């Protein structure tokens, strides 16, 4: 029906080294979307002569005769001295890459290391990372460190297992939640820690000064308060378990329909080092509690329609809702023609939509209540040719979706 005039390739790795110009010269437009593009001197010249739009994170130039093994990792990956790898390997890590000390010879074998995430690496290997590209953070740690979890909970058994004279590294923070942890034993073993932040009980501050450098940020839990690390829902069950004096390092949400009178009676003091989320109607009672927080945000109390391919908004929906109606994460939203601009402004909120279809008189009101909407258009049929043109373009396009593609 339609001749193939366009070419669209979506892939993680595109190897262009074996491509022939005559296979692609008939296309009017070409688009290649790839994380990594492998080229040779010859294929670079061909690509420059084609009607090509190339969207990529990095380009690797390798000779045509070189075999490039490609490995993709989704999640965490570690490079150690025992890692088996072929020469000229290209590795793509979608997650966290941890590089261990004494891996110089292993790193030399990689043609390129591409990371969509974060990298941890010993400082001594910084000069071996010329082939590294990262969409994220790179953290360098002292070579003599043992790598711990990024957020490490220092439990009561760790001092027994710690090795004498060792230095330990946690990328984000170390948390001391258990007050019975024998830190003196770590001092006896001459252990030390390298991290950005330490969360600890007030009575442990003096001891920890001998274990952590002076540039570590101390987050101190006041004496008599229990530390909870992580997000929680505030209810009677939580307070029965943790106690009424709580230091929370994380976000806290008030439970729907909780008995605020009983909750108030059980709370002695709560400090939230994070975001407190609640309904607007709960705020008055909340202010009567002994509660401190870094940030306050409100949960949506009206009607919500979300994660739908198509949504129709009419007078019945808006007028029968006691509060505003929130429509979010919808591909297509169509507003009935008899809905007034005043009702839209008074009752409707739109977030994250591909298109809102409405008549011209409604457009300004829709724009005022919408956030992250790609297109606000009319419903008089004038957008039909756009749809037909899109269908025609799809039929005349050769489309390829692959993890790895050799052209």
């Amino acid at each position: 029906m339609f001749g193939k005039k366009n070419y669209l390739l979506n892939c993680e790795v595109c190897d262009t080294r074996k491509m022939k110009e005559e296979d692609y010269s008939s296309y009017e437009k070409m688009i290649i979307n790839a994380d990594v593009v492998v080229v040779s001197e010859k294929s670079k010249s061909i690509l420059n002569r084609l009607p090509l739009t190339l969207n990529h994170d990095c380009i690797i130039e390798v000779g045509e005769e070189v075999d490039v093994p490609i490995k993709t990792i989704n999640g965490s990956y570690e490079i150690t001295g025992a890692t088996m790898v072929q020469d000229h390997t290209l590795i793509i890590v979608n997650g966290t890459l941890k590089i261990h000390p004494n891996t110089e010879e292993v790193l030399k074998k990689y043609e390129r290391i591409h990371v969509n995430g974060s990298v941890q690496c010993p400082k001594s290997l910084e000069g071996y990372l010329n082939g590294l590209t990262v969409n994220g953070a790179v953290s360098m740690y002292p070579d003599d460190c043992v790598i711990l979890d990024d957020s490490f909970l220092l439990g009561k058994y760790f001092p027994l297992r710690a090795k004498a004279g060792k230095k330990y590294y946690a990328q984000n923070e170390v948390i001391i939640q258990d007050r019975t942890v024998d830190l003196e034993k770590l001092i006896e073993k001459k252990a030390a820690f390298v991290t950005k932040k330490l969360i600890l009980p007030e009575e442990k501050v003096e001891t920890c000064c001998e274990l952590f450098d002076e540039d570590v940020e101390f987050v101190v839990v006041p004496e008599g308060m229990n530390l909870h690390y992580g997000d929680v829902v505030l209810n009677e069950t939580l307070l029965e378990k943790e106690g009424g004096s709580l230091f929370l390092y994380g976000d806290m949400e008030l439970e729907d329909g909780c008995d605020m009178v009983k909750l108030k009676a059980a709370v002695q003091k709560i400090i939230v080092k994070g975001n407190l989320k609640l309904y607007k109607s709960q705020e008055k009672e909340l202010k009567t509690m002994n509660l401190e927080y870094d940030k306050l945000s409100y949960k949506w109390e009206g009607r919500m329609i979300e994660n739908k391919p198509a949504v129709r908004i009419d007078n019945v929906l808006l007028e029968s809702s006691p509060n505003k109606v929130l429509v979010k994460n919808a591909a297509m939203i169509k507003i009935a023609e008899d809905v007034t601009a005043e009702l839209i402004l008074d009752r409707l909120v739109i977030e994250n939509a591909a298109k809102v279809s409405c008549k011209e008189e409604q457009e300004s009101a829709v724009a005022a209540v919408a956030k992250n909407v790609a297109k606000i258009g009319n419903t008089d049929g004038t957008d039909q040719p756009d749809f037909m043109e899109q269908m025609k373009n799809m039929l005349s396009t050769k489309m390829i979706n692959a993890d790895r593609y050799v052209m």
Side-chain angles (χ1 to χ4, degrees), residues 142-159:
D143 283 63
D144 54 351
C145 281
V146 177
I147 303 176
L148 304 172
D149 293 338
D150 292 349
S151 296
F152 179 69
L153 183 64
L154 202 163
K156 65 179 180 179
Y157 297 116
F158 183 80

Side-chain angles (χ1 to χ4, degrees), residues 13-82:
V13 181
C14 175
D15 191 342
T16 68
R17 293 176 298 159
K18 296 181 180 180
M19 70 182 301
K20 297 178 181 179
E21 186 171 359
E22 57 267 26
D23 292 338
Y24 302 94
S25 57
S26 61
Y27 291 107
E28 290 184 7
K29 295 180 181 178
M30 293 181 66
I31 299 176
I32 297 176
N33 301 310
D35 285 343
V36 178
V37 180
V38 184
V39 300
S40 64
E41 190 66 35
K42 179 182 176 182
S43 70
K44 277 199 306 182
S45 178
I46 295 174
L47 292 171
N48 288 334
R49 292 194 294 270
L50 293 173
L52 172 67
T53 299
L54 182 59
N55 303 310
H56 63 280
D57 284 338
C58 70
I59 290 182
I60 303 172
E61 184 170 345
V62 186
E64 294 178 45
E65 71 287 349
V66 178
D67 179 31
V68 181
I70 299 174
K71 187 173 184 178
T72 300
I73 305 294
N74 293 314
S76 297
Y77 187 71
E78 297 187 21
I79 297 177
T80 69

Side-chain angles (χ1 to χ4, degrees), residues 364-379:
S364 61
V366 170
V369 302
K371 180 181 179 181
N372 296 331
V373 174
K375 185 177 181 181
I376 300 173
N378 58 31
T379 59

Side-chain angles (χ1 to χ4, degrees), residues 110-277:
Y110 288 104
E111 190 72 34
R112 180 66 64 92
I113 301 173
H114 182 72
V115 181
N116 296 308
S118 61
V119 176
Q120 292 180 9
C121 180
K123 289 183 179 178
S124 65
L125 296 180
E126 194 170 3
Y128 291 86
L129 301 181
N130 294 331
L132 174 71
T133 54
V134 183
N135 292 324
V138 178
S139 176
M140 297 290 179
Y141 62 89
D143 283 63
D144 54 351
C145 281
V146 177
I147 303 176
L148 304 172
D149 293 338
D150 292 349
S151 296
F152 179 69
L153 183 64
L154 202 163
K156 65 179 180 179
Y157 297 116
F158 183 80
L160 299 174
R161 301 173 58 197
K163 303 297 183 182
K166 283 293 185 181
K167 189 179 289 186
Y168 295 91
Y169 172 80
Q171 181 173 333
N172 297 329
E173 60 228 347
V174 172
I175 307 105
I176 302 175
Q177 190 165 329
D178 189 342
R179 284 181 158 84
T180 66
V181 172
D182 188 357
L183 298 178
E184 296 290 347
K185 186 174 287 294
L186 290 173
I187 294 175
E188 290 174 12
K189 291 184 174 183
K190 299 187 184 302
F193 293 86
V194 177
T195 190
K196 296 175 184 175
K197 186 180 296 183
L198 171 63
I199 305 168
L200 75 164
E202 186 175 10
E203 62 269 25
K204 300 288 186 182
V205 170
E206 187 174 346
T207 306
C208 285
C209 286
E210 298 188 46
L211 296 168
F212 293 82
D213 293 337
E214 63 276 4
D215 58 347
V216 175
E217 178 188 350
F218 278 34
V219 177
V220 179
V221 181
E223 193 165 353
M225 300 193 76
N226 291 325
L227 168 64
H228 184 99
Y229 182 85
D231 300 342
V232 297
V233 175
L234 178 60
N235 53 29
E236 292 178 66
T237 303
L238 174 70
L239 296 177
E240 288 173 3
K241 180 182 178 182
E242 303 279 359
S245 187
L246 185 63
F247 186 99
L248 173 68
Y249 195 88
D251 294 340
M252 187 172 77
E253 181 176 340
L254 264 67
E255 184 179 65
D256 295 352
C258 62
D259 189 326
M260 297 295 288
V261 175
K262 289 183 178 180
L263 214 57
K264 179 183 175 181
V267 171
Q268 297 171 32
K269 183 174 184 179
I270 296 179
I271 298 175
V272 182
K273 303 301 290 183
N275 183 27
L276 175 62
K277 294 177 280 188

Side-chain angles (χ1 to χ4, degrees), residues 68-103:
V68 181
I70 299 174
K71 187 173 184 178
T72 300
I73 305 294
N74 293 314
S76 297
Y77 187 71
E78 297 187 21
I79 297 177
T80 69
T83 300
M84 302 298 293
V85 58
Q86 293 177 248
D87 289 340
H88 303 293
T89 292
L90 164 63
I91 184 171
I92 301 170
V93 179
N94 299 311
T96 299
L97 173 64
K98 295 184 178 181
I99 303 174
H100 289 257
N102 305 314
T103 54

